[in-house]
Amino acid sequence: MQRHSTAKQHKPNKNLTNMKNTLILSSLLISIIILSSCEKNSPPSCEITTPANNTVIIKGTSIDLSVNAKDIDDNLIKIEYYIDNVNIGTSTEPPFNYYWTANSIEDGNHILKAIAIDEKGKESEDYITVITTTGETVSDIDGNTYKALQIGDQTWMAENLRVTHYPNGNSVPLVTDNAEWGNLEDNNIDDAYSFYEDITSDEIETYGALYTWSAAMGDNPDSSEGIVQGVCPDGWHLPSDEEWKELEIELGMSQSHANYEGFRGTNEGSKLATNRTLWFSDDLIDDFEFGISGFAALPAGLRYSIGGECSQIGLNTFFWTSTEAYSDRALSRHVSFYHSSI
């Protein structure tokens, strides 16, 4: 029994040997599969975030193109941007934005495409429609030119006014000193304008000037007379509260919300704004319809009536209406980085 037992221990077992070989081969196969899985490259994801689908773009203006692009392999190298399959630019640095000026393009609908590409050549893409329009060109008495566009039945300037003279040629008083601005008797009766402190000439062209309500109204202090040209170019006028409501309703606000005071509506402020890179990040620029209207509101800030300091550039912008609320107050519109409404 002992000899049989010893012989059994040393006699090869064919089935056992085959099983071991099978296990070894299976282990090798599993290792190869695991290694192959580790070396597999997944394509990146790509979603256009700016502009929104069906955004109106005035030809000659510049807009920020941006995407939400991710790559689980962490090897995203570039985003290519196309209009109607013609390359308009490539961004190779995160966050892969591209600033595009809409020149040499016909009016109408166009396909904007973004392609995300990783270092191994894997790619993915996203498409939206943008609408380009020539719009109008407006000139003020100083020779500055502005773009304008139609929204619904209204035509609005798409740039901030920076004129320094009234249409009759008289100068709007320039007040640069904080104390002097703070000592103005009242925004409603003292004409004055300024530019935001320490901004460059290019920034003046972008943000425009800051005006007291009296300066904006010009020689028309009584808004009950109807249309008020004020400081605006010939053929244009300072919009009334009712005209602003018409714009807001055209962009989707209900009539009941339009009649409220304070922030109203849903995302009409986001639709009116533009240039995501100039605004502080919050609800305004996070809205999926940011910039869609072409109105192009920018965060120009304000100048306080008390103390005369400039503040809130990048955060807020305010637009006068020709409508008085009280004897010492006029209605305005406020677009804020903190709200998608207005």
Side-chain angles (χ1 to χ4, degrees):
M1 292 290 291
Q2 185 174 358
R3 186 166 53 244
H4 175 75
S5 178
T6 304
K8 187 176 181 181
Q9 287 182 1
H10 289 88
K11 183 179 179 182
N13 186 317
K14 229 173 172 184
N15 292 334
L16 183 59
T17 303
N18 290 338
M19 185 180 296
K20 287 181 179 178
N21 290 340
T22 302
L23 289 173
I24 292 171
L25 289 173
S26 297
S27 299
L28 180 60
L29 182 59
I30 292 171
S31 299
I32 292 172
I33 291 173
I34 292 172
L35 287 172
S36 298
S37 298
C38 291
E39 293 174 0
K40 184 179 178 181
N41 180 57
S42 299
S45 63
C46 182
E47 179 187 10
I48 296 173
T49 54
T50 303
N53 191 41
N54 292 322
T55 290
V56 176
I57 302 170
I58 302 176
K59 292 199 299 190
T61 59
S62 297
I63 64 169
D64 182 44
L65 308 180
S66 63
V67 298
N68 180 14
K70 298 178 181 178
D71 186 34
I72 62 174
D73 306 306
D74 292 327
N75 57 7
L76 185 66
I77 60 170
K78 64 181 177 179
I79 304 292
E80 295 178 347
Y81 293 95
Y82 294 81
I83 288 288
D84 299 331
N85 289 320
V86 176
N87 182 261
I88 57 173
T90 300
S91 178
T92 58
E93 296 291 336
F96 300 105
N97 290 13
Y98 185 78
Y99 211 54
W100 174 56
T101 301
N103 290 326
S104 304
I105 187 169
E106 295 182 356
D107 285 4
N109 292 8
H110 302 274
I111 299 299
L112 170 64
K113 177 172 67 175
I115 303 178
I117 304 172
D118 69 18
E119 63 183 7
K120 294 185 181 296
K122 293 282 189 177
E123 62 183 50
S124 61
E125 55 191 44
D126 190 26
Y127 306 82
I128 64 167
T129 298
V130 294
I131 305 166
T132 56
T133 178
T134 302
E136 297 182 25
T137 300
V138 185
S139 297
D140 64 30
I141 194 170
D142 292 339
N144 300 310
T145 59
Y146 310 89
K147 295 179 176 61
L149 82 161
Q150 185 170 332
I151 303 176
D153 294 329
Q154 300 174 311
T155 302
W156 292 82
M157 290 178 64
E159 297 180 66
N160 288 347
L161 200 65
R162 55 185 183 276
V163 69
T164 63
H165 293 83
Y166 291 111
N168 62 10
N170 292 339
S171 296
V172 183
L174 172 63
V175 177
T176 58
D177 182 72
N178 287 352
E180 185 178 354
W181 186 279
N183 286 333
L184 294 174
E185 185 174 344
D186 194 287
N187 264 322
N188 283 18
I189 60 176
D190 285 332
D191 291 17
Y193 85 95
S194 74
F195 298 110
Y196 201 96
E197 59 188 358
D198 299 327
I199 66 172
T200 66
S201 57
D202 287 342
E203 289 172 324
I204 288 174
E205 189 169 338
T206 298
Y207 291 114
L210 302 172
Y211 300 90
T212 62
W213 185 73
S214 180
M217 293 287 287
D219 296 325
N220 301 276
D222 183 5
S223 61
S224 63
E225 294 180 4
I227 292 177
V228 175
Q229 178 178 0
V231 75
C232 303
D234 288 337
W236 291 77
H237 65 273
L238 194 65
S240 66
D241 180 57
E242 288 302 315
E243 288 173 315
W244 268 98
K245 288 180 182 178
E246 182 178 341
L247 171 63
E248 292 159 347
I249 291 170
E250 176 67 28
L251 295 178
M253 187 181 294
S254 68
Q255 180 69 62
S256 59
H257 274 201
N259 292 331
Y260 292 164
E261 293 186 359
F263 281 96
R264 302 151 306 126
T266 54
N267 67 346
E268 290 76 21
S270 293
K271 291 178 180 178
L272 290 170
T274 195
N275 201 332
R276 187 184 301 266
T277 59
L278 296 180
W279 290 90
F280 273 56
S281 179
D282 214 302
D283 287 355
L284 185 81
I285 68 171
D286 288 343
D287 188 85
F288 74 102
E289 291 188 298
F290 177 85
I292 195 172
S293 71
F295 182 90
L298 295 172
L302 54 75
R303 193 165 188 182
Y304 290 116
S305 58
I306 298 175
E309 294 181 351
C310 293
S311 183
Q312 301 184 26
I313 196 167
L315 300 174
N316 298 289
T317 193
F318 301 83
F319 300 97
W320 286 121
T321 78
S322 60
T323 305
E324 285 186 281
Y326 308 101
S327 61
D328 62 344
R329 294 286 186 275
L331 296 178
S332 64
R333 289 302 187 275
H334 176 192
V335 178
S336 171
F337 80 107
Y338 197 63
H339 297 275
S340 60
S341 55
I342 181 172

